[in-house]
C-alpha cells in the first residue's frame, strides 16, 4: 500500500504520532487510507450539499474496509462570478484544483481517492488530477438542481439571465424579473439545464469514472446519498483490483465521451475540458475529430437551453446510460472500455431502456442527424472555433452580417442593452481569450441580453472567450488564435462582413489576405495590467484549441 510510507515501520513512528493527534486508532491505520476530495463550500449552490455526500462516501468506504480521510477542493460559482472581473478566475481554477489535489494526494500518500465535484471547472479539474495521479479513483458529484417554476412553466438560470435582457428591452416588468429571481433556482445542485457542470458530470459517466446516475440524479434526492455510499464502497474494489484512471480514460473512452457529447448537446466548454483531461491521461485530442464524430452521431436531446426539458427529466427517462444504449444501436460506442463499475461500457448499458422518447429521441428519430457541437475553421479562426449547433436557430446556421467590434465584454453589453445592435449584426468580442482576458471569461450576459431583446434568431456573437452552457443562439467561441496572440479576430474592423456557415464548419471575414496582412503589420496588442495568479496564468496558458492547458516545463 502507498500509505505504508506514512503508517508502517519504525521510521514512520513520527508520522503515526501525528495520526494520533488526529484521533486515529491503530485499527484505522492498518486499513487503506482513502482520500475523500470534498468540494463543499457555502458560496456555490451546487456545493452546499456536498458535506452530506462526503459523509455518505465516508460511510461507504468504512463499510467496505477502508479509512476515509477528507480534504478540500475549491470551486467558483460561474453564475455569481458572471459579468464582472470574477469571471476571470473561473477557468483558471481548473488548474488550481488539479494542482492542489495532486499536492494533497502525494504529500499524504493516499491509497485511493473519491472525488466529489459538482460545478463547472471543479469536475474537469478533478478529472485532470485523477488522470495525472493515476491511483484508483472514483467520482460522485453533488447532483443537479431541480428546475424552477415561473408562471406554470419550468425554467432555469438561463431564463433568469434572459429575463434581465427582456427587462432592458421593455418587454418584462421589474415584478416579472423578481418572479424569476425568486423561483428560477429552487434547490441546491448544479444549475438544472445541460450547462457545463451537468455536461461534465454526465460525461464522467461516459468516460467510465462515475457510477450510473452520477450525472443526472437530482441533488435533493435520497438516491444520491445511496449513490455516494456505493461510490465509497466501490473505491475499495478498484483498489483491490488495482483499476486506475488511465486504465479507464483511454483514447477509446474519450471518443465515447465526444460521441455522447454530440448526442446530448453538451456545453461548448466540453471542447475545452475533454482535451485538457485527455492531455493529462497521455491522450491527444485534435478538435477536427469532433466534426468527424459529429457527422455520424445524431443529436438525441434538446435539454435547456436548447429546449424545454431539464436534467431531472433526463434522469427519469433513463439517464446517460439510456442515451448510450440508443447510440449503441448503431454501433457508435466502444463498448469494450473498462469503467469504475469493474465492468465494460457494454455490460453497464445493457438493458438500460429509454423511458421517454420525448426527452431522449430514439436514434431512428433524432433532432438532427449530426451532433450538437460543431468546430469551425476559416480565415477568422484558422486554428478553430466552437459552437453549440443544437442551440442555434435554423435560420442562423448560415449568416452574413456586418461586424460590430468590441475589445471587452462590458462594452458589448452596453451596446446591446443600449439598443445599438440590430438584426443582422455580428457582435465580435475580443481580447477575452485564455491569455488576453486573461482567464477566458464566459459571455452569458451578452448572449442572454441578445436573446432577451428578441435578437436571438438574427444576431450572431463571436469571441475568443467562451460561453456558459446556459448560452444559446449563434454563439461562436474559443476563436483561435486569440486576439492577444495576433489572431485574425484582432484584425477585424467595424463593418467588415463576417460569413458563418455552421453546416460547412466555416467562419470567415470577407477581407482579402493582403488586407489582413497589411492590418497585421500595424497591429499592436492591447495591454492589460494583471498581477498575482492571473499574471502567472497568462504567461503559461496555451490556446483554446489545445484545451487552454498550461505549458509543460521543458
Amino acid at each position: 500500500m502507498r500509505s505504508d510510507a506514512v503508517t508502517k515501520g519504525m521510521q514512520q513512528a513520527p508520522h503515526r504520532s501525528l495520526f494520533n493527534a488526529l484521533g486515529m486508532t491503530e485499527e484505522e491505520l492498518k486499513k487503506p487510507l482513502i482520500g475523500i476530495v470534498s468540494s463543499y463550500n457555502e458560496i456555490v449552490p451546487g456545493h452546499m450539499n456536498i458535506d452530506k455526500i462526503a459523509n455518505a462516501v465516508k460511510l461507504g468506504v468504512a463499510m467496505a474496509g477502508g479509512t476515509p480521510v477528507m480534504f478540500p477542493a475549491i470551486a467558483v460559482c460561474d453564475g455569481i462570478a458572471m459579468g464582472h472581473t470574477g469571471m476571470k478566475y473561473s477557468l483558471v481554477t481548473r488548474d488550481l484544483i488539479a494542482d492542489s489535489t495532486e499536492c494533497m494526494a502525494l504529500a499524504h500518500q493516499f491509497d485511493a481517492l473519491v472525488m466529489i465535484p459538482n460545478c463547472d471547472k471543479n469536475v474537469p479539474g478533478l478529472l485532470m488530477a485523477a488522470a495525472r495521479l493515476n491511483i484508483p479513483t472514483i467520482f460522485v458529484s453533488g447532483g443537479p438542481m431541480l428546475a424552477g417554476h415561473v408562471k406554470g412553466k419550468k425554467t432555469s438560470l438561463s431564463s433568469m439571465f434572459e429575463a434581465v435582457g427582456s427587462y432592458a428591452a421593455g418587454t418584462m416588468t421589474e415584478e416579472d424579473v423578481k418572479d424569476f429571481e425568486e423561483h428560477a433556482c429552487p434547490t441546491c445542485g448544479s444549475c438544472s439545464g445541460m450547462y457545463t457542470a451537468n455536461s461534465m458530470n454526465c460525461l464522467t459517466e461516459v468516460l467510465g469514472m462515475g457510477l450510473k446516475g452520477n450525472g443526472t440524479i437530482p441533488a435533493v434526492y435520497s438516491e444520491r446519498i445511496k449513490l455516494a455510499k456505493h461510490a465509497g464502497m466501490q473505491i475499495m474494489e478498484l483498489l483491490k483490483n488495482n483499476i486506475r484512471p488511465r486504465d479507464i480514460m483511454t483514447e477509446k473512452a474519450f471518443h465515447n465521451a465526444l460521441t455522447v457529447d454530440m448526442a446530448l448537446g453538451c456545453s461548448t466548454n466540453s471542447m475545452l475540458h475533454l482535451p485538457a483531461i485527455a492531455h493529462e491521461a497521455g491522450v491527444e485530442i485534435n478538435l477536427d475529430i469532433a466534426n468527424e464524430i459529429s457527422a455520424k452521431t445524431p443529436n438525441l436531446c434538446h435539454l435547456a437551453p436548447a429546449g424545454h426539458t431539464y436534467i431531472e427529466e433526463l434522469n427519469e427517462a433513463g439517464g446517460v446510460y439510456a442515451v448510450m444504449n440508443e447510440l449503441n444501436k448503431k454501433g457508435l460506442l466502444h463498448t469494450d472500455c473498462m469503467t469504475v463499475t469493474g465492468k465494460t461500457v457494454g455490460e453497464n448499458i445493457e438493458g438500460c431502456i429509454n423511458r421517454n422518447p420525448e426527452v431522449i429521441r430514439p436514434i431512428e428519430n433524432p433532432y438532427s442527424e449530426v451532433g450538437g457541437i460543431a468546430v469551425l475553421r476559416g480565415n477568422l479562426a484558422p486554428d478553430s472555433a466552437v459552437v453549440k449547433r443544437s442551440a442555434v436557430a435554423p435560420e442562423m446556421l448560415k449568416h452574413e452580417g456586418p461586424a460590430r467590434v468590441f475589445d471587452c465584454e462590458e462594452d458589448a453589453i452596453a451596446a446591446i442593452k443600449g439598443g445599438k445592435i440590430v438584426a443582422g449584426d455580428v457582435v465580435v468580442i475580443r481580447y477575452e481569450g485564455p491569455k488576453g482576458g486573461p482567464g477566458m471569461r464566459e459571455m452569458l450576459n451578452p448572449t442572454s441580453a441578445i436573446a432577451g431583446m428578441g435578437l436571438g434568431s438574427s444576431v450572431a456573437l463571436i469571441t475568443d472567450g467562451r460561453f456558459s452552457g446556459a448560452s444559446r443562439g449563434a454563439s461562436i467561441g474559443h476563436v483561435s488564435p486569440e486576439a492577444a496572440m495576433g489572431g485574425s479576430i484582432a484584425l477585424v474592423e467595424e463593418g467588415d462582413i463576417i460569413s458563418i456557415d455552421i453546416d460547412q464548419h466555416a467562419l470567415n471575414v470577407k477581407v482579402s489576405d493582403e488586407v489582413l496582412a497589411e492590418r497585421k503589420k500595424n497591429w499592436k496588442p492591447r495591454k492589460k495590467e494583471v498581477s498575482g495568479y492571473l499574471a502567472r496564468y497568462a504567461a503559461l496558458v496555451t490556446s483554446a484549441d489545445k484545451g487552454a492547458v498550461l505549458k509543460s516545463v521543458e
Side-chain angles (χ1 to χ4, degrees), residues 6 36 54 95-97 145 147 198 224 256 268 281 293 300-301 323 327 398 404 443 461 515 550:
V6 294
I36 313 299
D95 296 276
L96 277 175
I97 291 161
M145 184 184 291
N198 291 326
R224 182 153 291 274
N256 283 347
T268 51
I293 290 173
L300 304 181
C301 299
V323 175
L327 293 170
K398 189 171 184 178
R404 304 299 308 281
M443 302 290 157
L461 195 156
V515 170
L550 301 185

Side-chain angles (χ1 to χ4, degrees), residues 40-58:
Y40 170 76
N41 63 49
E42 294 182 339
I43 188 64
V44 184
H47 292 229
M48 63 178 284
N49 66 316
I50 283 179
D51 56 341
K52 297 175 178 61
I53 302 296
N55 284 335
V57 168
K58 290 170 72 176

